[in-house]
Amino acid sequence: MTNHNHQRPVIRTQALTRHFTRGKKTVEAVRGLDLEIQQGELVAFLGPNGAGKSTTLRMLTTLIPPTSGTAEVAGHDVVRSRGAVRRSIGYVGQGNAAAFVQRGRDELMSQARAHGIPRAAAKTRTDELLTAFDLQEHADRPVQTLSGGQRRRLDIAIGLFNHPEVLFLDEPSTGLDPQNRANLQEQIRRLHEDGTTIVLTTHYLEEADALAGRVIVVDHGVVIADDTATRLKERLGDLVRLGFATEADAAVAAGRAESVLAGPTLVERTGTQVSIRSPRGADSAPALALDLAAHGTPASRMEVHTPTLDDVFLDLTGRSLRESAESTTGTQTEGAAA
């Protein structure tokens, strides 16, 4: 577990587990999750459909109880103190929270009543959120007439009505066009800068890379990686591909690369191509090319790829997160058991 130097844990789980039963089959959606998230962190959960991301959020937000284990949010147990947890958090699920036939302003005022906020204070808070999310001009329109981006901003405004200590966002950008996705990411950054602890799930790798200070990769209900995006990518290393005139040259170059490059290096040869995975491979590639040429095995071509979070996920699980997101195989599992 990565060490994060913040004020105090705002989320803590111990052996958190959730099973679902389908007929005679038991699905282990989350298995023995031990997790600490500190106050003020912005954490992204990555994983394919059915990995356990949404189930974890639903337990932390008291929507479903754990099968076993414990979890605390904002100092409150999610089973014994559900009301206190709910007063401390905001939650934006994958579907739209607002009713389609009501006006946006009415939806926010309804949220105020749910939290027992006096009418005058509720009106002030409603105006604040409409301004913050650029919804003033649309506040008196039925929700069903709003664009996808406007509805998603309204969802987040609803989740923030009670000034939550922790905000949970489950796939907040799904279905948005690139412009609205960028606008939403900017809103998330502002909330984080204001001190809100944010936990989000996402299938957009660039979103996690751009927003999150910490990335947690979940697969088959367990955490398989937990670090910053930068360190996860650095640990994987850059990929350098070299092409040669003959297989004999490629074989010589592969041996030469293993002896020349410093640090943990993986060298593979396929025909006339040599693939090298190495820390700071992009920096060492020019020197390696010169060395190979000086020893009589010049490369005819060279490609350098710096790793992405999808590369990290592929290395960890053998699957691409993008392919998993686009696949329909597991969609039912994600909806009911993840």
Side-chain angles (χ1 to χ4, degrees):
M1 176 87 52
T2 305
N3 182 30
H4 301 278
N5 295 318
H6 293 267
Q7 297 179 18
R8 64 177 177 85
V10 72
I11 297 172
R12 180 188 286 116
T13 72
Q14 291 184 319
L16 188 66
T17 300
R18 175 69 196 201
H19 297 165
F20 293 89
T21 301
R22 294 180 182 165
K24 297 181 179 180
K25 183 179 180 181
T26 298
V27 178
E28 296 179 311
V30 178
R31 297 185 292 159
L33 180 67
D34 293 324
L35 181 67
E36 283 193 2
I37 294 176
Q38 310 297 325
Q39 186 174 21
E41 284 195 274
L42 201 168
V43 179
F45 273 75
L46 302 182
N49 289 333
K53 310 180 305 296
S54 294
T55 296
T56 299
L57 261 63
R58 290 169 187 160
M59 286 190 285
L60 295 176
T61 55
T62 77
L63 295 178
I64 58 174
T67 302
S68 61
T70 63
E72 293 182 355
V73 177
H76 307 292
D77 186 276
V78 298
V79 175
R80 297 193 302 268
S81 305
R82 295 173 64 198
V85 171
R86 293 184 177 187
R87 287 190 292 272
S88 302
I89 67 170
Y91 174 66
V92 179
Q94 293 186 27
N96 292 116
F100 275 18
V101 295
Q102 286 210 84
R103 300 183 307 164
R105 186 185 306 276
D106 294 337
E107 281 293 309
L108 288 167
M109 292 297 290
S110 296
Q111 192 70 10
R113 288 195 294 274
H115 286 285
I117 299 173
R119 184 171 182 80
K123 185 177 183 306
T124 298
R125 181 61 174 157
T126 295
D127 290 339
E128 288 176 355
L129 289 168
L130 291 173
T131 299
F133 287 93
D134 195 23
L135 291 169
Q136 310 97 311
E137 296 181 6
H138 315 289
D140 296 314
R141 290 169 48 190
V143 172
Q144 63 187 349
T145 68
L146 301 178
S147 70
Q150 291 163 351
R151 285 199 300 270
R152 208 59 180 143
R153 296 203 303 273
L154 180 60
D155 286 340
I156 295 180
I158 291 172
L160 287 171
F161 204 96
N162 61 326
H163 297 282
E165 185 174 350
V166 187
L167 177 63
F168 294 94
L169 302 172
D170 197 1
E171 302 287 352
S173 297
T174 297
L176 298 185
D177 59 49
Q179 180 177 350
N180 277 313
R181 194 155 61 238
N183 290 341
L184 182 57
Q185 289 176 17
E186 182 58 32
Q187 294 290 348
I188 292 172
R189 287 191 188 92
R190 291 179 187 174
L191 293 171
H192 181 235
E193 290 170 359
D194 288 341
T196 304
T197 303
I198 300 174
V199 179
L200 64 89
T201 70
T202 182
H203 277 120
Y204 293 104
L205 283 303
E206 66 277 8
E207 183 169 78
D209 208 347
L211 288 175
R214 178 180 173 191
V215 172
I216 297 174
V217 183
V218 182
D219 195 23
H220 298 297
V222 297
V223 173
I224 58 174
D226 181 357
D227 213 327
T228 66
T230 298
R231 282 197 288 265
L232 287 173
K233 290 184 291 185
E234 287 177 346
R235 194 176 303 154
L236 179 59
D238 300 325
L239 178 62
V240 180
R241 288 195 179 100
L242 302 170
F244 297 88
T246 67
E247 291 190 16
D249 284 351
V252 171
R256 186 71 189 163
E258 288 181 338
S259 63
V260 168
L261 295 175
T265 300
L266 176 65
V267 180
E268 296 179 340
R269 182 180 68 85
T270 305
T272 60
Q273 179 174 286
V274 175
S275 297
I276 304 164
R277 179 73 74 176
S278 176
R280 295 185 296 279
D283 296 333
S284 59
L288 175 61
L290 290 173
D291 179 88
L292 293 174
H295 286 79
T297 54
S300 58
R301 65 184 182 277
M302 180 174 67
E303 299 175 359
V304 179
H305 300 275
T306 56
T308 65
L309 283 179
D310 202 35
D311 294 325
V312 171
F313 189 82
L314 179 63
D315 181 69
L316 289 168
T317 69
R319 288 175 289 166
S320 166
L321 186 56
R322 292 189 186 279
E323 291 173 359
S324 298
E326 294 168 359
S327 172
T328 57
T329 305
T331 300
Q332 292 181 347
T333 303
E334 178 74 8

